[in-house]
Amino acid sequence: MKTYIYLILFVNSCFAQSKLHGTIKDATTLLPAATIVINPGNATIASDNSGYYDIQLSDGTYTVSVYYTGYKPYSKKIAVKGGTVLNITLTPDETALDEVVVTGTMKETTRSASPIPVEIITPKLFRKNPTPSLFEAVGMINGVMPQLNCNVCNTGDIHINGMEGPYTMILIDGMPIVSALSTVYGLSGIPNSIVERIEVVKGPASSLYGSEAMGGLINVITKTPGKAPLFSADYFMTSWGEISMDAASRFKAGKATSLLGVNYFNYSHKADKNHDNFTDVTQQNRVSIFNKWSLERKENRLASIGARYVYENRWGGELQWNKRYRGSDIVYGESIYTKRAELIGMYQLPVTEKIFTQFSYNWHNQDSYYGTTPYMATQQVGFVQTYWDKKLTANHTLLAGAAMRYTYYDDNTPGTAKTDGTNAPQKSPLPGLFVQDEWEVNGKHTLLGGYRFDYDKHHGGIHSPRVAYKFSPDVRNTLRASFGSGFRVVNLFTEDHAALSGARQVVIEGNLKPERSLNSNLNYVWKWPAKPFVLNLDVTGFYSYFTNKIVGDFDTDPTKIIYSNLNGYAVSRGVSSNVELMFNFPLKLTSGISYTDVYRMENNSRIQQLHAPKWSGNFVASYSFPNNYTIDVTGNWYGPMRLPILPNDYRPEYSPWYCIANMQATKKLPYGLELYGGIKNIFGFVPKYALMRPQDPFNQHINDPVNNPNGYTFDTAYNYASLQGRRVFLGLRLTVQ
């Protein structure tokens, strides 16, 4: 009998049931719905709404792995016997963290809590393919395309969802510091070392930001001086002769902390790989200095001020051109001298309520020649706004404010001249009032409503409403729907200066109305923390309808440019998706794809938008090896896009499918050093066609029936990709915390 009792006790001891339990949290918060995998046995459970988990196990040793979106995977071996407690603290993953964003609602909130979809790139991302300017870096965002519009001077703009650059608003720290004439030149020369992140909102945002924010906006957030590294530097060069240097330093003076950044870029190699006697890439010499100060105040109130100065000398043209030919008809060149100064600031009033005042000012001077045509322009933009961020109840947050924007613009074209030829600079005040209410109905539903009223002296009152809704049934699923309007006041000449720099008479047909847009977005985010990887899926469908679009008629009368509102409408519609895979081994994959259909209807004719591919996408693959080695593969691909062609043109109207892929290897060294190098444009893609009639840039022989039977003219606008082919780069970074 005793033998049987001992046998039963032995069997029970072999199969004794124990309990493993505990909590999953980060440094401050319990984390619900975390995925817990226990091996051997591959048992998978999830933490409950309070971050608690428990599971029955046999006594033994197990490996416990935990996965949660935005945090590094956790793994630990533990002996389980009886009631074993294992409380787990996860570490945020900087590459996938639920970042703080401000652009969508003009106040800090987490990206997942924002009812407005906001896309982000950080310096860590655009360092995977180093670029000398943010103009190129924003191309790593799906649906955002930096578009070069001239094969000689390489000026361009930034398209969001296929819409032209004038419909994209560029902000620095929430201030409209970059606009109109200076959009591209303003993004060039921002030191990468002072950038905290770049936030992108697609679709109208005029209810908060006013004119120009009708296609989307890009907000460059600079680092807070107190949180920046003590010193950082980044230097790289390419086999084409490009040299880029970026450095920043933090220092303290009393209660103030300063961040000083310097950016220098030089490219002075006259490459002509397609043998047309023109530079393939614009020659550039640029220096930019940025200085930002933040002040320590009582109760952590905000106070900061920053300034930046940019000087750039760029030119492109025939290889034998130099500055003594500037403006002449002997050797063709396009030469642009740019001087730019900016001032931005933020001050939180010393009152119990959260009231903020922001201000900015920029001065932009451009001295340029396009062949023999001069274009001299000065633009000044002053902006100030005050807003009140008030939590009305536990669920209601009110944002209300007033803004004033004043634009001064003068150039040497008919755009700023009276009928008698005397100079008449444009002076455009634009005051506005805005209000926004965010209502968190409960933990699953959030509703946002916004309205803005602006007054323009030419158009009168302009109304811009917006409504957004977010539904999050759990931490893994989020659905956002939004509807809003945007507007853009008439501002012809800062965008069409190349056309207006000639002798054409400018004719405005009727009273031009401000351009308007209506936009709807439906966004779905799904986060799936599985055993081998964490999957993030972000899908957005969008539809924008534009009215009163201002177009220039260059064909009716060759001596005139006739401007009028479009007798019809324009549409931008499509779907974009982003997929992110983070494996529990050191591999991360990111891919985006967009389908965009952009066109306008005019006189019952459907006209496809120029430089707007229907299909486009990007990809990033990163793998970390032992001994601090990392390999990054990045790239963008584009489908056919409609291009500007001449009558009887031999060049195809649509570009081919193409891909620009890059590879980089990085080695982390001691003392904060990183050595990196790689290949840009691995496949060596360059457009087949570039300039039309480069042998006759001054159009002196266009009426030659033998050599030019079609009457072609010199043309620089047929462009869809850089003429730079494959090139090797090598660089060194230093960060001292």
Side-chain angles (χ1 to χ4, degrees):
M1 185 67 179
K2 290 183 179 180
T3 303
Y4 287 109
I5 293 174
Y6 291 146
L7 180 61
I8 292 171
L9 292 174
F10 175 75
V11 171
N12 285 340
S13 66
C14 290
F15 297 96
Q17 291 295 303
S18 297
K19 182 179 181 181
L20 175 66
H21 62 105
T23 57
I24 310 294
K25 66 174 186 176
D26 61 12
T28 59
T29 309
L30 293 168
L31 301 175
T35 300
I36 302 133
V37 180
I38 299 173
N39 280 301
N42 198 29
T44 302
I45 59 173
S47 59
D48 64 17
N49 289 334
S50 63
Y52 177 79
Y53 74 95
D54 67 77
I55 186 172
Q56 297 293 327
L57 297 170
S58 300
D59 290 351
T61 301
Y62 296 88
T63 299
V64 179
S65 302
V66 181
Y67 305 95
Y68 197 85
T69 301
Y71 295 83
K72 294 179 180 179
Y74 171 95
S75 184
K76 182 178 182 180
K77 281 189 175 182
I78 186 170
V80 176
K81 186 175 182 180
T84 303
V85 177
L86 177 61
N87 294 321
I88 298 170
T89 300
L90 299 183
T91 303
D93 184 351
E94 294 180 357
T95 65
L97 185 62
D98 187 17
E99 302 95 336
V100 171
V101 296
V102 298
T103 305
T105 59
M106 206 182 282
K107 60 181 181 178
E108 286 193 350
T109 184
T110 61
R111 187 181 180 189
S112 62
S114 172
I116 305 297
V118 180
E119 296 190 42
I120 295 175
I121 61 172
T122 65
K124 189 166 186 176
L125 178 59
F126 55 70
R127 282 175 186 166
K128 296 178 184 295
N129 177 34
T131 61
S133 73
L134 292 183
F135 176 74
E136 298 176 48
V138 295
M140 298 187 74
I141 300 178
N142 186 25
V144 178
M145 185 176 77
Q147 172 60 43
L148 293 178
N149 297 321
C150 175
N151 276 321
V152 176
C153 65
N154 282 176
T155 56
D157 51 28
I158 297 173
H159 295 194
I160 294 180
N161 290 341
M163 295 305 299
E164 304 102 305
Y167 301 97
T168 299
M169 190 176 200
I170 310 294
L171 308 168
I172 298 180
D173 288 338
M175 296 287 93
I177 200 81
V178 183
S179 60
L181 171 66
S182 55
T183 296
V184 174
Y185 301 111
L187 274 182
S188 298
I190 297 178
N192 290 342
S193 55
I194 59 96
V195 175
E196 179 74 26
R197 64 188 184 274
I198 300 174
E199 301 180 1
V200 178
V201 175
K202 300 174 183 176
S206 292
S207 65
L208 277 184
Y209 294 97
S211 178
E212 297 180 29
M214 61 185 299
L217 57 88
I218 297 173
N219 192 2
V220 180
I221 310 294
T222 61
K223 292 178 179 177
T224 301
K227 297 179 181 179
L230 183 64
F231 178 79
S232 62
D234 191 345
Y235 173 87
F236 76 88
M237 60 186 300
T238 74
S239 56
W240 275 56
E242 297 158 296
I243 297 174
S244 178
M245 188 276 289
D246 198 90
S249 179
R250 167 176 57 88
F251 58 91
K252 194 166 185 178
K255 292 185 177 181
T257 305
S258 175
L259 177 64
L260 177 65
V262 178
N263 175 268
Y264 176 71
F265 177 74
N266 181 274
Y267 176 67
S268 54
H269 177 62
K270 298 180 182 180
D272 180 23
K273 301 296 180 71
N274 59 2
H275 307 295
D276 61 1
N277 196 44
F278 270 74
T279 53
D280 293 336
V281 182
T282 302
Q283 313 295 286
Q284 297 179 55
N285 188 31
R286 180 179 66 242
V287 62
S288 173
I289 301 174
F290 179 91
N291 190 206
K292 182 177 181 180
W293 290 82
S294 64
L295 181 66
E296 293 180 14
R297 300 176 62 203
K298 293 180 179 179
E299 300 180 4
N300 293 321
R301 292 191 180 99
L302 300 178
S304 66
I305 188 169
R308 184 170 75 112
Y309 179 78
V310 182
Y311 172 78
E312 183 183 68
N313 175 8
R314 66 163 60 196
W315 74 269
E318 295 184 274
L319 297 181
Q320 58 270 36
W321 188 92
N322 59 55
K323 63 181 180 180
R324 74 171 180 267
Y325 295 115
R326 195 171 192 259
S328 76
D329 62 357
I330 301 173
V331 179
Y332 187 88
E334 297 186 3
S335 170
I336 302 166
Y337 298 151
T338 300
K339 298 176 183 177
R340 179 172 177 80
E342 302 168 350
L343 182 69
I344 57 176
M346 158 78 84
Y347 182 76
Q348 184 177 355
L349 299 185
V351 294
T352 55
E353 298 290 343
K354 294 177 66 176
I355 301 176
F356 303 87
T357 294
Q358 294 176 291
F359 60 89
S360 68
Y361 168 79
N362 70 78
W363 171 83
H364 185 101
N365 177 264
Q366 185 167 319
D367 175 348
S368 52
Y369 274 92
Y370 302 90
T372 58
T373 303
Y375 176 67
M376 311 294 171
T378 299
Q379 176 178 274
Q380 299 181 67
V381 181
F383 179 84
V384 62
Q385 77 176 7
T386 298
Y387 64 92
W388 177 38
D389 185 2
K390 175 67 174 178
K391 199 168 186 66
L392 298 176
T393 68
N395 298 328
H396 274 277
T397 303
L398 177 73
L399 186 79
M404 177 65 182
R405 180 172 174 178
Y406 183 86
T407 303
Y408 171 93
Y409 174 76
D410 190 19
D411 66 18
N412 64 319
T413 76
T416 56
K418 297 180 180 179
T419 54
D420 61 1
T422 58
N423 191 40
Q426 292 181 354
K427 300 175 182 179
S428 307
L430 188 64
L433 300 171
F434 58 90
V435 62
Q436 175 182 273
D437 178 43
E438 187 173 343
W439 177 28
E440 187 178 346
V441 182
N442 53 42
K444 297 181 179 180
H445 303 271
T446 303
L447 186 65
L448 180 143
Y451 171 78
R452 184 182 180 108
F453 176 81
D454 291 87
Y455 183 82
D456 181 77
K457 63 181 181 180
H458 300 293
H459 310 305
I462 305 172
H463 307 271
S464 303
R466 175 172 71 165
V467 63
Y469 167 71
K470 181 179 76 75
F471 173 57
S472 298
D474 52 51
V475 295
R476 298 186 183 183
N477 295 272
T478 302
L479 180 69
R480 295 179 177 91
S482 62
F483 178 83
S485 66
F487 76 94
R488 180 169 163 267
V489 297
V490 177
N491 195 359
L492 301 176
F493 311 110
T494 54
E495 293 135 19
D496 293 330
H497 61 80
L500 291 169
S501 57
R504 287 183 180 232
Q505 178 186 356
V506 176
V507 177
I508 298 178
E509 200 172 75
N511 293 321
L512 294 180
K513 300 177 182 178
E515 299 184 66
R516 300 304 306 261
S517 69
L518 296 174
N519 172 272
S520 58
N521 280 282
L522 188 64
N523 170 256
Y524 174 65
V525 177
W526 180 46
K527 302 178 180 180
W528 183 39
K531 177 187 175 183
F533 57 80
V534 174
L535 169 66
N536 293 334
L537 174 66
D538 189 323
V539 181
T540 301
F542 58 89
Y543 184 93
S544 297
Y545 182 90
F546 297 83
T547 57
N548 297 336
K549 187 176 173 67
I550 298 172
V551 293
D553 179 2
F554 295 81
D555 302 320
T556 300
D557 187 335
T559 66
K560 299 178 180 179
I561 305 174
I562 304 172
Y563 282 100
S564 63
N565 289 113
L566 176 66
N567 183 22
Y569 60 90
V571 169
S572 170
R573 60 184 181 182
V575 178
S576 67
S577 66
N578 295 294
V579 178
E580 184 180 58
L581 281 170
M582 294 174 289
F583 293 86
N584 54 12
F585 55 93
L587 174 65
K588 181 179 178 180
L589 304 176
T590 304
S591 177
I593 183 171
S594 291
Y595 171 80
T596 307
D597 185 20
V598 186
Y599 63 92
R600 73 176 190 265
M601 293 296 298
E602 185 175 8
N603 299 322
N604 295 320
S605 297
R606 190 181 195 275
I607 303 172
Q608 198 72 22
Q609 174 67 46
L610 293 171
H611 298 115
K614 287 194 173 183
W615 292 97
S616 63
N618 59 2
F619 54 87
V620 179
S622 300
Y623 190 89
S624 298
F625 294 89
N627 300 320
N628 294 319
Y629 284 98
T630 303
I631 296 291
D632 298 299
V633 177
T634 61
N636 299 81
W637 57 269
Y638 301 96
M641 67 183 81
R642 181 170 167 259
L643 302 170
I645 58 173
L646 302 177
N648 303 312
D649 207 321
Y650 59 86
R651 301 170 299 182
E653 186 176 5
Y654 284 84
S655 64
W657 290 82
Y658 70 96
C659 174
I660 306 296
N662 319 285
M663 179 180 292
Q664 174 182 271
T666 304
K667 168 64 175 177
K668 287 187 177 181
L669 302 169
Y671 309 110
L673 285 169
E674 286 186 10
L675 178 66
Y676 63 91
I679 304 174
K680 290 179 177 286
N681 195 359
I682 296 171
F683 304 121
F685 176 82
V686 292
K688 181 178 180 181
Y689 302 98
L691 300 175
M692 172 77 80
R693 290 184 59 78
Q695 73 277 15
D696 186 23
F698 296 104
N699 292 321
Q700 296 175 340
H701 306 288
I702 60 174
N703 297 317
D704 185 341
V706 177
N707 296 312
N708 191 22
N710 292 305
Y712 294 142
T713 59
F714 178 62
D715 177 41
T716 68
Y718 188 90
N719 191 343
Y720 55 91
S722 171
L723 294 174
Q724 277 187 302
R726 186 183 298 109
R727 59 199 191 278
V728 177
F729 65 94
L730 182 65
L732 183 67
R733 295 190 189 100
L734 171 64
T735 302
V736 179
Q737 297 293 341

